[in-house]
Amino acid sequence: MTDVVVDTADGPLCGSRDSDITLFAGIPFAAPPVGELRFAPPQPVARWTEVRDATDFAADPPQGATAPEGAPPPSGPLAGVLALAGGSSRPWSEDCLYLNVWTPDVAGRRPVIVWIYGGGFERGSAAPPGTGGEVLARVTGCVVVAMNYRVGALGFAHLADLGGAGWEGSTNLGLQDQLAALRWCQANIAAFGGDPSRVTVGGLSAGAFCIGAMLGMPSAAGLFSRAILHGGSTQRVFPSAIGTAIAEDLLAALRLDDIDGLRRVPAQQILDIQMKVIDTDIGRRNLPGGRSWGVVLDGQVVPQHPHSALTSGSARGVAVVVGASRDEMRLFQLAQGDAFPPTDAAAMLAEIDRAGYSEPPALYDAYRDRLLTAGVSDSLAELRGAFLTDEIYRVPATRLAEAQLAAGGKAWTMLFSDAPLGPLVGACHGADMFYLFDLISVLGITDPERLAVRDELHDAWRRFASTGDPGWPMHAPGATRQFGGGADFVTEPIDDRVTELRRS
């Protein structure tokens, strides 16, 4: 280990170099959001003059158990997915607004990748094992940044319309944290060997949905020029009325008479209650009328629906790669167990109707035909899985790409179809992270086909962060890059009766 010291706008930092990567960990990018700053927008960090140690990761944001509705304790391959790709047993603290930087060299002007973790807006960490910044820096040659941001009620309770004076900015706090970290990058990343004009934001799931929101936000303009969204889009945004209703229920569940009490109640009590005031079923929380923690169309931080803004050209100058996994719902199907399948065909039809389709029976039959043609069971669990995979992830990804292209921007699409843990788990939600952060090596996977997929994904990230082009044609029929699954290119959405009915 070798000490490396750099100067930032806030003060000097001492990191550590091990082999070919230097780590600067636990860098504050905003003041601790504690006391009167709980539920407040991120505030400037206090400057320091002495060299600050930056060799230890900070605690994670406050987070609790987030088992889906009806979920049995995870075991087998599922336990491995949740342990490596989800949160960990690391300590948490409300004093959590820190970021980490992994750099090949503090000299030079390298491309920058800023990673925004997923976790259902309820959990996550900017530190290993879930965030493998060292691997990403090594294989891409980029400076990699990962920030903590507030999650759950502490990060996404919409309080601006419920409180009075002093609460106006209390909305989308986790998203505001991310913007603060991106502004920190613009001001400081050159000291770590990064090029602030070549910043790529990348994220999975909640992280990708946050990036989708940023694509439509004026306050994010100029903070990045490239974006990679895995399992997220511009279309998971809750109306402010739903956000306010959830906040009211949170106050009632905590037995608080006034909103100011939220700054006094112990954080653990908020964690204990926050899952009881939202939907935990993966379908209910993501379909129209659903309730969950996440981005809120508040009119201030998020002034316009991100997809509408994108359609109007809000991100015309940002190059975008967006995609999903082939079997997104398999993870949730396994996690929820017997609570996942609809009780009967009528319940499945009701869910399709809730999503806003005019011919639920026809769409139901079309999904059955798709599954049977692919040699897959047409059980209610598989039908619901196929429908929700499209509705929440795959179709919104292509809609984002189509809107970006129509607005005069650049967009590429991808589909991840490799299954690191076998057919039971499949190419599930987050499966691509096993490859991006080389967790397959942690699992001892040495199959040449798996390793080839990993290397292809790394090469795409490297090329895109460096040049703004991932190495395949922009989105068009037959031009979605598939990682794993046989063919290198596929058409997204699938050209069949399901897609025809969805567009009618």
Side-chain angles (χ1 to χ4, degrees):
M1 293 282 192
T2 304
D3 289 347
V4 180
V5 177
V6 299
D7 287 317
T8 74
D10 299 314
L13 295 167
C14 180
S16 61
R17 186 167 185 81
D18 184 8
S19 183
D20 55 342
I21 300 296
T22 301
L23 168 67
F24 295 86
I27 305 170
F29 66 88
V34 300
E36 290 304 306
L37 292 185
R38 179 195 279 180
F39 292 112
Q43 299 300 306
V45 67
R47 297 189 73 250
W48 61 90
T49 56
E50 299 296 321
V51 176
R52 179 186 180 110
D53 180 75
T55 58
D56 292 324
F57 294 105
D60 292 345
Q63 52 198 277
T66 57
E69 182 175 292
S75 61
L78 178 60
V81 172
L82 297 179
L84 289 172
S88 67
S89 57
R90 287 174 38 77
W92 61 258
S93 170
E94 282 195 80
D95 181 5
C96 62
L97 297 184
Y98 299 84
L99 55 78
N100 310 308
V101 178
W102 294 264
T103 178
D105 195 336
V106 296
R109 301 274 283 187
R110 295 172 178 269
V112 180
I113 295 173
V114 179
W115 176 254
I116 304 177
Y117 54 73
F121 292 90
E122 294 149 6
R123 65 191 306 171
S125 172
T131 297
E134 180 177 352
V135 169
L136 198 56
R138 180 172 293 117
V139 299
T140 62
C142 298
V143 177
V144 175
V145 180
M147 88 288 282
N148 280 340
Y149 62 92
R150 286 171 282 181
V151 294
L154 290 164
F156 290 93
H158 176 61
L159 304 170
D161 294 334
L162 194 59
W167 292 88
E168 299 89 348
S170 299
T171 181
N172 290 306
L173 295 169
L175 192 56
Q176 294 191 61
D177 295 342
Q178 295 165 22
L179 292 173
L182 286 166
R183 287 191 290 269
W184 180 94
C185 285
Q186 287 298 310
N188 295 288
I189 204 60
F192 299 84
D195 182 352
S197 70
R198 287 190 293 168
V199 173
T200 298
V201 288
L204 165 71
S205 193
F209 284 117
C210 286
I211 294 171
M214 290 184 205
L215 291 174
M217 293 167 55
S219 58
L223 296 180
F224 55 89
S225 58
R226 295 156 194 169
I228 304 178
L229 297 83
H230 285 252
S233 65
T234 49
Q235 295 185 322
R236 190 188 189 272
V237 180
F238 294 95
S240 60
I242 286 181
T244 297
I246 294 172
E248 290 173 335
D249 290 347
L250 180 69
L251 284 174
L254 289 168
R255 299 182 180 180
L256 296 175
D257 295 327
D258 62 89
I259 193 171
D260 292 322
L262 282 174
R263 288 188 169 134
R264 297 188 296 270
V265 67
Q268 185 62 57
Q269 289 188 25
I270 296 175
L271 298 182
D272 292 342
I273 290 295
Q274 66 181 17
M275 299 303 292
K276 298 179 181 179
V277 298
I278 62 171
D279 295 322
T280 54
D281 174 81
I282 188 64
R284 283 202 301 274
R285 72 189 300 174
N286 284 291
L287 295 180
R291 293 162 51 107
S292 185
W293 305 116
V295 177
V296 173
L297 183 58
D298 65 286
Q300 178 184 343
V301 178
V302 183
Q304 183 181 0
H305 194 287
H307 198 75
S308 297
L310 188 80
T311 301
S312 300
S314 62
R316 189 177 293 118
V318 178
V320 176
V321 175
V322 59
S325 292
R326 183 191 63 204
D327 312 314
E328 289 277 359
M329 280 299 117
R330 191 66 57 79
L331 176 64
F332 306 103
Q333 184 176 337
L334 291 170
Q336 289 188 228
D338 292 340
F340 181 82
T343 52
D344 51 30
M348 184 71 241
L349 289 169
E351 187 162 65
I352 296 173
D353 180 71
R354 179 184 167 189
Y357 294 97
S358 59
E359 301 181 65
L363 193 55
Y364 178 97
D365 289 340
Y367 269 108
R368 289 190 66 236
D369 290 343
R370 175 187 284 185
L371 291 173
L372 293 172
T373 299
V376 179
S377 163
D378 64 343
S379 67
L380 287 171
E382 292 295 336
L383 280 166
R384 189 182 192 218
F387 172 70
L388 292 179
T389 287
D390 278 351
E391 189 65 22
I392 301 171
Y393 297 105
R394 288 177 66 170
V395 171
T398 55
R399 286 176 179 159
L400 188 163
E402 290 166 354
Q404 176 71 340
L405 290 171
K410 296 180 178 180
W412 293 260
T413 48
M414 60 186 173
L415 179 69
F416 195 83
S417 298
D418 214 38
L421 301 179
L424 176 65
V425 179
C428 66
H429 185 66
D432 39 4
M433 295 304 102
F434 282 82
Y435 298 74
L436 185 64
F437 296 139
D438 200 17
L439 297 175
I440 60 173
S441 293
V442 176
L443 296 172
I445 295 174
T446 58
D447 182 343
E449 292 186 6
R450 305 283 86 73
L451 299 182
V453 172
R454 176 200 64 188
D455 294 345
E456 290 167 5
L457 188 64
H458 286 165
D459 186 60
W461 274 70
R462 178 189 60 78
R463 291 184 58 152
F464 187 68
S466 299
T467 70
D469 185 330
W472 65 86
M474 283 191 279
H475 177 68
T480 293
R481 176 70 164 90
Q482 182 173 228
F483 292 91
D488 287 341
F489 292 95
V490 294
T491 293
E492 281 281 283
I494 300 171
D495 186 12
D496 65 1
R497 177 66 172 157
V498 167
T499 299
E500 180 183 334
L501 287 167
R502 280 179 163 275
R503 286 178 169 166
S504 63

